[in-house]
Amino acid sequence: MATKESLVSKLARGIKTAFKPSNGTTNAKADRATPLLDARKSGVEATPQMLQQAAKDNMFLHFTRHSPYYTAKGEIPIITKASGHHFWDQNGKKYFDGISSLFSVNIGHGRSRLAEAAAKQMKELDYFPLWSHAHKPGIELSERLLSYAPKNLTRVFFTTGGGEANETAWKLAKQYFKMIGKPNKHKVLTRAVAYHGTSHGALSLTGIPSMKKMFEPLVPSTFRVPNTNFYRAPSNFKNEDEFGLWAANRAEEMILFEDPDTVAAIYAEPIQNSGGCFTASPVYWKRLREICDKYDVLLVADETITGFGRSGTMFACERYGIVPDMMVLAKAMTSSYQPLGALMITERLFEPFKTGTNILAHGYTFAAHPVACAVALENLDVFDEEDLVGNVARNTAKFRKTLEKLYDLPIVGNVRGDGYFFAIELVKDKATKQTFTPAECEKLLRGYLAGAMLKVGLYARADDRGNPVIQLAPPLTIGPKEFDELEQMLRKVLTPAMSKI
Ligand SMILES: Cc1ncc(COP(=O)(O)O)c(C=O)c1O
């Protein structure tokens, strides 16, 4: 008689089968070709073809649709070098880096002094963690970052990127409220279409349903409130102040819906990237602060992109008069020459950790890596010596004006943003602001624009996480001559765009 197999042994059998190497040995790797390793061992330079094949065979790229690479003509773009606001691919083609690679190489590429700072630090102290210890580059960088920050921020908790800093802010908020006797405060409000990172916590904060669907169930307790997309605001709002006030009041409404005793924080980017560079009037920020004070909710400014000069001040909080309880920094802290992020907080949030046995049981191996901190300090020296923040402040109006020339094209519905951070929203009908269907977006963005921009030598972002936009965030080193160049390239690409749908 057949015995019933237990669920546990069934699972165990299933797992074993799933992982059984196809050649029947336990060392499938031994049979793998390693042409790059072989070339390296014999001192031979790998050819571009070898690199292309190895990339296709071995890599899993981020946020990437891989299928085109496995067609007859499919090629993964391999970037070989970069200098200033340009980079080059494996075929020697030159591109204008219109989004500072990932909104992050703010001083431009190829600054050898950052490499020298890294080498010097590596020779002196290669690595040490922040576990109950500190090191000079980390100490110096904390002071330097705070010197640019709103005066109420007094402490720096390092991470390796923006998502980790957002994650940290939420965990800290939860623990802080537990420690001060408000243990139910744990919920977080974030804004529709905003992106805050990819780990489970940061993704839960993110307001883009399509990005979250595959990873449900996520961390509970996050709630969406409206963003500040004035172009898509109902027409009864006469100006951004009125609309801003309305949007901020929705946060109060949500806090009341959810019970103020349960809400810990609200996250907002000073200029929201996802959806296409949504700015907000100072009225919005003032009202949001009032609401946070009224209900003891912490305001977290996610400056992952807007930090380090992008908006025309070192931090965008300064430009818009935002008073945050926590501020998230990453990307351009090192101009992305090294991975580094940080969370800056008020002393109030640190105070409970100064007493007794209290600790924040949270940290990252590579956070405040001494080499990354040394590179960040050198990067900030470049900012100061070349007055890059001033360059943005002096030129932002010219940049906007140059991009607004594109309004003569029927597909350009809205040019918006600030500093060196602009989005161009594409529309089907300018008069009615009618947008494209998902199928049309697919054809327009992935079927045409992404490839067409690269063809004319422009690296910019064509994005439809909200309505379709092209985004620009060039290095802070450029000026009017390069604005014209960007406008010309976009004109070339956008002029025939409507006919590609
Ligand atoms: C506003 C914002 N927050 C968080 C993140 C996540 O940062 P990271 O990729 O460094 O984790 C990003 C990344 O682009 C971002 O734009």
Side-chain angles (χ1 to χ4, degrees):
M1 204 175 80
T3 54
K4 265 195 183 169
E5 192 179 8
S6 79
L7 181 61
V8 173
S9 68
K10 230 183 204 173
L11 276 173
R13 196 165 52 87
I15 289 165
K16 249 189 241 154
T17 309
F19 283 95
K20 198 171 174 192
S22 56
N23 62 4
T25 73
T26 52
N27 190 15
K29 276 193 175 183
D31 299 331
R32 275 192 190 154
T34 53
L36 299 183
L37 178 59
D38 299 344
R40 189 184 175 91
K41 279 184 176 164
S42 41
V44 178
E45 190 77 24
T47 65
Q49 291 76 12
M50 286 163 73
L51 284 172
Q52 183 63 226
Q53 196 55 52
K56 284 181 183 172
D57 288 348
N58 303 320
M59 293 188 84
F60 197 155
L61 305 178
H62 298 205
F63 284 107
T64 298
R65 193 180 284 189
H66 285 80
S67 60
Y69 304 142
Y70 299 96
T71 58
K73 280 189 166 175
E75 262 211 349
I76 298 175
I78 297 173
I79 307 310
T80 52
K81 62 173 186 173
S83 173
H85 56 277
H86 291 107
F87 63 83
W88 285 259
D89 71 12
Q90 77 270 37
N91 303 314
K93 189 172 166 60
K94 183 179 177 182
Y95 300 88
F96 191 127
D97 190 355
I99 50 166
S100 305
S101 301
L102 199 50
F103 309 93
S104 57
V105 185
N106 285 13
I107 62 168
H109 298 278
R111 304 273 197 163
S112 51
R113 59 187 281 184
L114 269 65
E116 282 148 22
K120 186 166 174 277
Q121 182 57 48
M122 233 178 255
K123 287 178 202 165
E124 207 166 289
L125 173 68
D126 44 23
Y127 172 71
F128 209 83
L130 287 193
W131 270 239
S132 306
H133 292 76
H135 48 64
K136 185 166 173 268
I139 298 166
E140 214 179 322
L141 184 59
S142 309
E143 184 202 81
R144 184 82 169 263
L145 292 173
L146 289 167
S147 76
Y148 303 118
K151 294 284 170 279
N152 63 323
L153 302 179
T154 60
R155 295 273 162 185
V156 183
F157 184 98
F158 284 105
T159 65
T160 68
E164 285 177 0
N166 279 322
E167 191 89 29
T168 303
W170 189 5
K171 287 177 74 176
L172 174 60
K174 285 164 97 171
Q175 181 168 349
Y176 169 76
F177 283 121
K178 282 186 172 61
M179 286 167 126
I180 65 159
K182 297 186 178 182
N184 295 327
K185 273 187 169 291
H186 67 284
K187 296 176 185 170
V188 183
L189 274 47
T190 64
R191 305 192 300 180
V193 201
Y195 175 76
H196 292 293
T198 50
S199 62
H200 268 78
L203 186 59
S204 304
L205 299 169
T206 290
I208 307 166
S210 60
M211 281 187 66
K212 303 165 82 163
K213 206 166 150 185
M214 289 300 168
F215 310 107
E216 297 284 1
L218 284 165
V219 185
S221 309
T222 71
F223 301 86
R224 241 52 62 209
V225 292
N227 59 44
T228 55
N229 181 2
F230 184 56
Y231 181 64
R232 293 283 169 195
S235 57
N236 55 316
F237 293 109
K238 286 196 237 28
N239 53 48
E240 282 202 73
D241 288 352
E242 252 189 33
F243 176 59
L245 189 62
W246 172 85
N249 283 334
R250 301 290 67 74
E252 179 172 41
E253 194 173 74
M254 185 61 87
I255 292 168
L256 291 170
F257 279 154
E258 285 304 317
D259 180 354
D261 287 347
T262 67
V263 180
I266 175 163
Y267 282 61
E269 292 160 85
I271 305 172
Q272 185 173 314
N273 176 47
S274 183
C277 298
F278 303 146
T279 54
S281 99
V283 170
Y284 173 83
W285 295 114
K286 186 169 171 283
R287 180 72 188 123
L288 209 53
R289 183 68 259 173
E290 281 168 11
I291 294 165
C292 287
D293 288 342
K294 187 170 172 187
Y295 300 105
D296 199 10
V297 168
L298 303 172
L299 177 57
V300 183
D302 184 352
E303 290 232 30
T304 299
I305 287 183
T306 55
F308 303 100
R310 179 62 56 206
S311 75
T313 48
M314 189 53 116
F315 299 135
C317 280
E318 181 187 339
R319 184 159 175 80
Y320 306 116
I322 305 168
V323 184
D325 298 288
M326 296 195 248
M327 187 195 269
V328 166
L329 300 173
K331 295 189 184 276
M333 198 189 309
T334 61
S335 283
S336 288
Y337 282 59
Q338 284 285 291
L340 189 59
L343 178 70
M344 294 208 268
I345 63 168
T346 60
E347 199 62 14
R348 168 197 171 196
L349 297 174
F350 183 67
E351 263 157 16
F353 296 98
K354 281 179 173 169
T355 60
T357 55
N358 294 341
I359 66 159
L360 179 69
H362 176 77
Y364 302 97
T365 299
F366 294 129
H369 194 294
V371 177
C373 292
V375 168
L377 287 164
E378 194 69 21
N379 175 54
L380 293 169
D381 286 347
V382 174
F383 266 77
D384 288 352
E385 287 166 29
E386 299 182 13
D387 188 20
L388 292 180
V389 179
N391 189 51
V392 176
R394 284 186 293 277
N395 281 318
T396 178
K398 272 186 214 145
F399 193 17
R400 182 191 302 277
K401 218 166 170 196
T402 308
L403 294 175
E404 282 177 350
K405 288 184 191 168
L406 296 166
Y407 271 133
D408 65 349
L409 301 174
I411 200 167
V412 173
N414 190 218
V415 175
R416 57 177 177 256
D418 201 6
Y420 274 19
F421 189 31
F422 283 96
I424 298 163
E425 182 167 334
L426 308 177
V427 291
K428 207 156 145 182
D429 184 326
K430 213 192 282 247
T432 62
K433 301 185 183 176
Q434 187 190 357
T435 192
F436 298 94
T437 64
E440 288 167 338
C441 275
E442 176 67 25
K443 268 193 185 168
L444 178 64
L445 268 63
R446 283 165 281 277
Y448 171 67
L449 279 175
M453 287 197 292
L454 292 177
K455 218 177 229 169
V456 301
L458 173 61
Y459 186 65
R461 179 178 274 189
D463 190 18
D464 60 352
R465 288 178 292 182
N467 294 110
V469 289
I470 291 181
Q471 280 187 291
L472 295 169
L476 313 187
T477 49
I478 70 164
K481 183 171 142 282
E482 288 81 19
F483 302 157
D484 287 338
E485 206 183 319
L486 284 168
E487 192 268 342
Q488 287 299 307
M489 286 191 281
L490 285 169
R491 180 169 293 282
K492 214 182 252 177
V493 169
L494 290 174
T495 301
M498 205 68 104
S499 67
K500 307 289 179 186
I501 300 154

